[in-house]
Amino acid sequence: LGHTAIRYENFTRKQDLVFNYGMFRFHTPNFVMRFLMGKTDYQLGVGRYKDFEVEYAMRGSSVYQQTLNLTEDEKWELVRLLDENYHPANRIYRYNYFYDNCTTRARDKIEECLTGKLCFPACKEPFSYRDIIHLYTAGSEWSELGIDLCLGAAADVPIDERKQMFAPFFLLEYAKEATVH
């Protein structure tokens, strides 16, 4: 389905960092079972953008960048919020595939830094969680079967645009037409 992180570039300070809400410890005891039971703790990690980009290139993954149209004050507020979230007491969170993941966390921090309200365009198609997952698992029947068995019937209910943004490419597309009021 992809991944979302926030890149922070400050040319004056020669900083090029990535704030990444998708960090976890795979070697945590019973990681897979905890993940399946919805008890996986993820954390915010901060690293150099160059390292992030190299890691993605090594696995053959693409990196897309979307520039945010923030005021100077909003940029500083976003950096403050991310720094605050990176404090050891704040950086770990209980990951939820649909409701609290790397994409929803990034979106929420961006919304939090704005002086106005971020308005996304209305839903273009009535997707369900399962519909969205199937868009990205097409051709991998065994993966789809495994995921389908875990999801249950609640994943078939149409969801609004905000809920669709659990998927990185959906947030990317909605953000292209978002406005601040």
Side-chain angles (χ1 to χ4, degrees), residues 71-124:
T71 67
E72 201 64 30
D73 287 344
E74 290 169 339
K75 289 176 190 176
W76 286 115
E77 178 63 6
L78 180 56
V79 171
R80 187 195 69 72
L81 290 168
L82 292 168
D83 281 342
E84 179 182 296
N85 214 199
Y86 189 62
H87 288 281
N90 301 333
R91 72 175 66 148
I92 295 173
Y93 70 100
R94 180 58 47 97
Y95 175 89
N96 182 289
Y97 188 72
F98 295 126
Y99 309 115
D100 197 358
N101 65 28
C102 62
T103 304
T104 61
R105 287 255 164 174
R107 178 202 59 205
D108 295 350
K109 287 299 164 202
I110 292 164
E111 285 180 323
E112 209 175 319
C113 82
L114 299 174
T115 52
K117 178 176 173 27
L118 186 59
C119 300
F120 293 100
C123 229
K124 293 178 179 154

Side-chain angles (χ1 to χ4, degrees), residues 30-91:
N30 304 310
F31 176 82
V32 173
M33 184 57 73
R34 290 177 59 82
F35 183 85
L36 292 172
M37 294 173 60
K39 295 182 178 180
T40 308
D41 291 331
Y42 274 48
Q43 66 183 5
L44 172 62
V46 180
R48 294 180 337 151
Y49 175 74
K50 185 180 264 183
D51 297 335
F52 179 82
E53 191 176 42
V54 166
E55 179 184 333
Y56 271 65
M58 287 175 60
R59 9 185 251 230
S61 297
S62 299
V63 174
Y64 301 86
Q65 180 168 300
Q66 188 170 47
T67 302
L68 302 176
N69 186 17
L70 302 176
T71 67
E72 201 64 30
D73 287 344
E74 290 169 339
K75 289 176 190 176
W76 286 115
E77 178 63 6
L78 180 56
V79 171
R80 187 195 69 72
L81 290 168
L82 292 168
D83 281 342
E84 179 182 296
N85 214 199
Y86 189 62
H87 288 281
N90 301 333
R91 72 175 66 148

